[in-house]
Each structure stands twice: as structure tokens, then as C-alpha cells.
Amino acid sequence: MEPLTLDMILVMSMIGLAIFLFIVEWVRVDVVAILMMATLPLLHLVSPKEAFVGLSSNAVVSIIAVIIIGAGLDRTGMINKLVAPVLRIAGESSSRIIIAISLTVAIISSFMQNIGAAALFLPAIQRISKMQKIPLSRLLMPIGFSAILGGTITLVGCSPLILLNDLLAPFNLEPFGLFDVTPIGLALVASGIGCFVLLGRFILPQGEDMDPGQADPDQPEPGEDPTEFYELKTPDDFVDYRDPVFVEDLRRRYLLNVVALTEPPDYQVTSPQPDMEVRSGMDLVVCGQKKDVLRMVSAEGMHLKDDLETYKESLSAQTAGSVEAVVAPRSPFAGKSLKDINFQDRFRVTPLNVYRQEETYRAKIDDLVIQVGDVVTLHGTWKRLMALQKEGGLLFSLPTDLEEMRPEKALWAGFWLTTALVMIMGFKIQLSVSLMTGALGMILTQVLTIDEAYQSVDWRTIFLLAGLIPLGIATQNTGAAAWIAHTILNVIGDVSPIVLLTVIGILSTLFTLVISNVGATVLLVPLVVNMALAANVDPRMAALVVGLATSNSFMLPTHQVNALYMGPGHYRTVDFIKAGALVSVVFLVVMIAMISLVYGI
């Protein structure tokens, strides 16, 4: 084994710094990657050209193209059209619904980013839960896990597998084909779904109804609509002999949200700000439960109208409504209070409540700091809600007749996806070239505009990939990967190939629980290839285990899909630990067994 050099120490220090920053999250993960990109050449651990080679790598270009193709499929409504036939096949059985939707999501995830597939199906799953009266907690986790597992079906299903061939190139190893991982991925999907179908009653929260004697006073009574709207008028002496009353005061005292008010003589204000004063002779519309409205009418001397009068047109179902918006992973709104975001002033929409981990917050929500996975109920005009949706950061669906869908372009979207796959499989054209051809075709045939294509790409993920690639190069070039590999082999001793691959799978799983799957892949592939070479094991299989096992991220809500579904599913961390531990163990067993079976290890 080579002696430890200064360059090796520097590289390992940079790896340790990157992992530390990934865990503590003092700065965003893409900023950590850019820090690596800039620092490594300054330390002379890579050349300037190697530092920025990630920006033009086959993997990064492929991921950009996959995201654009996924956005095109979404824009044409092809994904939404799958829901109805899937439901007809599934019927009313919760097990059949889980199997049918999970398989559909997994297949879609095999050709687009799994977080995109999970986000696309979230509104549909919520509708299915209400229609079939199945608790959402029984549906979301199996479907979310299937979205993650679906990324293992093809080489373009998840970032680690897209990245894999680029990481193998310095070792002059044969690259993997698009469907080389398909038998393994399908087995992983089937085993994951099987865990929930057979053992779901033991590992999933059952969503049992709350005991009536322990009902939450903030929750609506059974059968009562918490989003009912009532129009009232304040008396002429409302402001006499009293302190000023503000919009926020009514929310705090009566759990009612003021969604509109009319200042004399007829100036209408929608989504008024919390500090707007409620004056005499003012029409206002509130949203909430009738018992709270009656309590306010009695206490404040207001007049409750029989129906919406002043706001009959401006708040009609065709003009305005409410949506349940999920705070997306890496949302710019996460970590900010509702007061800081100021939905009322910026977007003219009103937050009605926030749902987080089995708790619904309705009063004093302005100071509440929202987190990834929180569900925020928002009310506003459809036009304003559409503008908020385009802003990004919140996931919610609008009525289909309002969305700028292009169903007439569905055939073009399908054609360009098929073209890209045929180029990869039939003509053996490089992955990035094939996928970018499909993405460009969608733009040229106006499936989506070039601006929409740019907006669909998560550039933080792109810079995360591009910034970590030179760290992998430095790990290999300095000999740090070989040194670490020999050190680990000295610890575990002389083991069989199956045992070594199992150790690599466990190591990859532990890494991906605390840092991103991309980061884990970039750091581990050079290491495990060196381990395999030293132990006379097929290095391609060692790298493949890393590419697959970095998707084994079920035990904590750290994966983007888990974080997305945590709020709507009302899950706690312990729920992920209980179900994720079983699925993780099954994942490792099935993965190693299938690699041994398919590749004869």
C-alpha cells in the first residue's frame, strides 16, 4: 500500500468538509459543490480544466435533457391521462390501488426524475384517497418508495445511474447500457411493493379516526366544510369606543380568515394583509366554520348575510378557490415564516392553515416557519394562484381548464421520447446526444417553449453534479481512493465477492442517508472500484452496487420524495424508520441476489 501523501490528506480533508457541510446544511448543497469546484484547483489537486469538466460531462447533459423531456410529457397531460385507466384496473381495493399506481409511478420514474413523477401524482393520489375513503397515509409511502425504486429500472432513471458511466471512464471499464439494470430494478420495485401489500398493516400508519372524546378543537366537525365562505357587514359604530381591530385579530380570536373586504364606498381588497384595519360599515368575506362565524357575529355585533352578495362574482368557483400546496424540496419558501413570505402582498392569496405532522395550525400562523413537506391551504383567484404556481417552490394542482396544458402536442411528446430511446438502443448513440435530441425536438415542435425548458431544469442539481465530479477525479488522481480502499480491505480481511458487494451496499446506504445520493456516488465509486480491483472482484459490479444502493434511502425523510410526501401523508420520522428499515434490508438482499443471478458473481 502506498504511503499517505500530503495530496491524499488534502483530498480526504476536502471530502470530510463536504460531508460535514452536507449534514449540517449551513449552506446549500449546490454551494458546497461549487466550493469544491473552485477550491480543488487552487490546492493543485486537479487542473483548471478538470475542475470544470463536470459542466460538460455526459451525465450532466443527460440529466438536463431528461428533466426537459419529463416537463414536456407533463405539459401535454400524458401523465394525468394514465390515472383514470389505472383506477379502473385497480377498482376499490386498497391493495390493488397501491399495486397499480405504484407500478405506474415506478415505470414513469424510470424515464424521468423520481421527484418529478412523485410530484405529478400527488394531486391524483389525494383525490383517490378522498374518493375511495382510504387514509392518505396508506397510499403515499408505498407510492413514494416505488418512485424511488423506479429510478433503478433504467440507466436514466436517477442521477447516480446517469453518472455511473462517467465515473467508470477513468478506469477504462466497459460502460453500462440503458437497460442493463432493468432486471434488477424490476425485482427491486416488485419486492418494495410486496412489502407494503403483504405487511402494510404492520409497517404503515393506519390513519384511524380520532376518538370523538379527544377531538382537536381546531379541527372541523365531521361533515363540516372548513372552507365555507360567509359575507358579513360591520355595524356603523364598530370602531366607536374600542381599540382598532385588525384582520389578524379576527383570525386569532375566532379562527377565521378574512379573504376579502370592501372599504367604503366600494373599494374591494382581496387577500388583505394581516395588519389591515377592520372599520365600520365594511363588507368582508371570511373563511372558516359556521360556529366560529356565529361566535364572531355575536361578539362583534356584525350582520351575517344569507349569501355572498358583494363578492358573488369575484369569489365564484369560476374565479377563485382554495388549493392545498405542498412545500417542495429545495423550495425558496422553506425556512421562512409566512410573514416573511407575505403571500397576501406578493401574490394576493391568503394562507388559511398549515398542516404539519398531524397538527393543523389555523391561528397565529404568520410567525410559523414553514418546512419542506408542510401543506399550506391557500385561497385566492385562479389567476393569482396560477402566478404563484409558476413561481415554483409549491406543488399543487389547478382546475384542468385553467392550466396551460397542450394535449394536442401529446403525440409529438411521445414521438420525441421514443426517438431518444431508439437512438440509444438501436443506434448506440451516446446517452447525452440521444436525450438532448429528444429534448430539442420537443422545443422545436412547441411541446414546450425554450423558456419553459430552462425553467423546468433544477439548476441546483446540475451544479451539485458538476461541482462534485472534480472531487471524484481528485480522489482517484491523488491515490486517496486506492489508499482508503486498501485500508478498508485490511480491516474486513479476505472475503468472498458476495460479502464484499454486501459491505459496499451497506456503506452506500449509510452514506445516502446523510448526504445526497449524487454526493455518495461521486465519493464512493472511485473507492469501491479500487477495493474491487485489490480483492480481484469485478469492479463494474462494485460500481453498480453503489449506483443502485444510493437509491436505498428509505429510513429517513431525507430523500426528496420522502420529504415531499411527509406532510400530506401526516407521517412522522418514526414511520419512515419502521417501514424504511424493512424495505432497506429487502432492497439489499434482492439487489445482491439479482446481481449475482444476472451477472454470475
Side-chain angles (χ1 to χ4, degrees):
M1 186 170 67
E2 294 184 9
L4 195 62
T5 65
L6 177 61
D7 283 349
M8 291 181 189
I9 295 172
L10 286 175
V11 167
M12 287 188 281
S13 299
M14 294 300 293
I15 292 173
L17 175 62
I19 294 173
F20 174 75
L21 291 176
F22 282 145
I23 295 173
V24 299
E25 296 182 340
W26 288 348
V27 292
R28 275 185 0 192
V29 291
D30 53 323
V31 177
V32 177
I34 295 172
L35 174 66
M36 297 296 114
M37 188 190 299
T39 306
L40 289 172
L42 293 176
L43 295 175
H44 302 290
L45 297 174
V46 295
S47 67
K49 183 178 180 180
E50 289 173 328
F52 300 104
V53 71
L55 291 170
S56 61
S57 72
N58 178 63
V60 169
V61 175
S62 298
I63 289 174
I64 292 173
V66 165
I67 293 173
I68 294 173
I69 289 173
L73 295 173
D74 181 31
R75 182 67 66 180
T76 60
M78 290 183 66
I79 307 300
N80 292 333
K81 291 177 182 178
L82 293 174
V83 176
V86 167
L87 278 182
R88 283 197 295 271
I89 295 171
E92 297 183 359
S93 165
S94 60
S95 294
R96 289 204 300 271
I97 288 174
I98 288 174
I99 293 171
I101 300 181
S102 295
L103 283 174
T104 304
V105 171
I107 292 170
I108 293 171
S109 293
S110 68
F111 291 104
M112 64 185 295
Q113 296 290 284
N114 46 35
I115 182 63
L120 286 173
F121 267 80
L122 178 57
I125 299 167
Q126 290 173 321
R127 289 196 298 271
I128 292 167
S129 172
K130 292 178 181 178
M131 289 166 46
Q132 305 295 344
K133 295 182 170 36
I134 301 172
L136 200 55
S137 59
R138 297 185 196 174
L139 297 178
L140 280 183
M141 189 179 291
I143 294 168
F145 282 16
S146 297
I148 298 173
L149 292 168
T152 64
I153 295 177
T154 70
L155 211 67
V156 297
C158 63
S159 299
L161 289 177
I162 293 176
L163 197 59
L164 195 58
N165 282 338
D166 276 21
L167 296 175
L168 291 177
F171 299 96
N172 296 316
L173 296 174
E174 181 185 352
F176 289 97
L178 179 64
F179 293 108
D180 283 356
V181 296
T182 300
I184 304 168
L186 290 175
L188 290 172
V189 170
S191 63
I193 296 174
C195 286
F196 288 105
V197 171
L198 299 176
L199 302 172
R201 72 182 74 177
F202 304 109
I203 61 177
L204 281 174
Q206 295 302 297
E208 296 177 353
D209 295 333
M210 185 182 291
D211 185 78
Q214 299 177 340
D216 184 347
D218 274 0
Q219 299 295 332
E221 296 293 334
E224 185 172 10
D225 185 359
T227 59
E228 192 71 30
F229 295 91
Y230 303 89
E231 186 169 322
L232 307 99
K233 192 175 187 69
T234 58
D236 293 336
D237 60 351
F238 185 74
V239 298
D240 295 347
Y241 313 110
R242 67 184 300 165
D243 293 331
V245 177
F246 300 99
V247 167
E248 174 58 23
D249 294 331
L250 299 183
R251 189 211 302 265
R252 188 176 63 255
R253 295 174 189 172
Y254 306 106
L255 301 179
L256 298 171
N257 292 281
V258 180
V259 298
L261 54 81
T262 303
E263 292 187 323
D266 58 0
Y267 180 66
Q268 296 186 359
V269 179
T270 56
S271 298
Q273 296 197 44
D275 59 356
M276 182 170 283
E277 186 177 352
V278 180
R279 300 188 178 93
S280 302
M282 178 180 283
D283 293 311
L284 67 154
V285 178
V286 298
C287 172
Q289 300 178 29
K290 189 169 184 178
K291 64 178 183 179
D292 294 325
V293 175
L294 295 176
R295 186 161 55 93
M296 184 177 72
V297 167
S298 175
E300 304 291 345
M302 296 182 183
H303 170 64
L304 175 61
K305 302 181 182 182
D306 294 333
D307 207 344
L308 295 184
E309 297 177 3
T310 307
Y311 286 89
K312 183 177 181 180
E313 295 297 330
S314 57
L315 292 182
S316 66
Q318 291 73 32
T319 307
S322 301
V323 298
E324 290 186 344
V326 181
V327 182
R330 297 195 298 271
S331 169
F333 302 127
K336 297 180 181 178
S337 69
L338 291 176
K339 182 187 295 183
D340 293 334
I341 299 170
N342 198 358
F343 282 109
Q344 289 99 324
D345 187 45
R346 290 178 60 192
F347 304 104
R348 291 297 181 202
V349 299
T350 302
L352 302 181
N353 57 59
V354 177
Y355 188 94
R356 174 189 299 164
Q357 298 182 3
E358 302 184 358
E359 294 288 340
T360 300
Y361 301 89
R362 298 172 59 200
K364 299 181 181 179
I365 62 174
D366 284 335
D367 294 325
L368 186 66
V369 176
I370 63 174
Q371 304 171 1
V372 172
D374 284 353
V375 182
V376 184
T377 305
L378 300 167
H379 180 272
T381 64
W382 298 126
K383 182 178 179 181
R384 296 290 184 182
L385 289 169
M386 187 180 296
L388 175 59
Q389 188 181 51
K390 290 180 178 178
E391 184 82 5
L394 295 176
L395 300 170
F396 57 91
S397 61
L398 294 169
T400 54
D401 56 342
L402 297 174
E403 297 176 353
E404 296 180 9
M405 304 296 286
R406 302 186 183 108
E408 71 279 3
K409 299 290 184 179
L411 288 178
W412 278 117
F415 171 79
W416 288 114
L417 173 62
T418 304
T419 298
L421 295 178
V422 169
M423 290 174 67
I424 297 168
M425 295 181 291
F427 297 94
K428 307 298 181 182
I429 297 175
Q430 185 167 296
L431 189 66
S432 57
V433 176
S434 302
L435 293 172
M436 191 55 74
T437 300
L440 178 62
M442 289 195 176
I443 295 167
L444 294 177
T445 52
Q446 299 181 342
V447 174
L448 70 172
T449 67
I450 185 65
D451 288 334
E452 290 169 341
Y454 287 144
Q455 292 167 7
S456 68
V457 178
D458 185 350
W459 295 103
R460 287 169 291 191
T461 299
I462 301 306
F463 275 93
L464 172 63
L465 284 169
L468 290 179
I469 285 175
L471 185 57
I473 294 173
T475 306
Q476 176 61 24
N477 289 351
T478 60
W483 189 89
I484 297 172
H486 282 90
T487 302
I488 294 175
L489 287 175
N490 288 337
V491 172
I492 64 176
D494 187 17
V495 294
S496 67
I498 293 294
V499 173
L500 180 62
L501 294 182
T502 302
V503 170
I504 292 172
I506 295 172
L507 186 64
S508 303
T509 299
L510 295 176
F511 262 67
T512 200
L513 289 177
V514 294
I515 66 174
S516 71
N517 54 6
V518 170
T521 304
V522 172
L523 297 178
L524 288 175
V525 166
L527 170 64
V528 302
V529 168
N530 279 278
M531 287 175 61
L533 291 171
N536 295 317
V537 175
D538 187 347
R540 292 176 74 247
M541 295 303 101
L544 181 59
V545 168
V546 174
L548 292 169
T550 47
S551 292
N552 190 10
S553 183
F554 305 107
M555 286 190 287
L556 293 174
T558 49
H559 193 282
Q560 293 176 340
V561 174
N562 292 344
L564 173 65
Y565 280 179
M566 187 173 186
H570 310 163
Y571 298 122
R572 300 165 298 165
T573 300
V574 68
D575 295 325
F576 282 100
I577 293 174
K578 185 164 62 173
L582 173 64
V583 175
S584 294
V585 172
V586 171
F587 183 105
L588 287 171
V589 172
V590 172
M591 178 186 66
I592 298 300
M594 287 301 297
I595 288 177
S596 177
L597 178 65
V598 174
Y599 291 100
I601 300 302

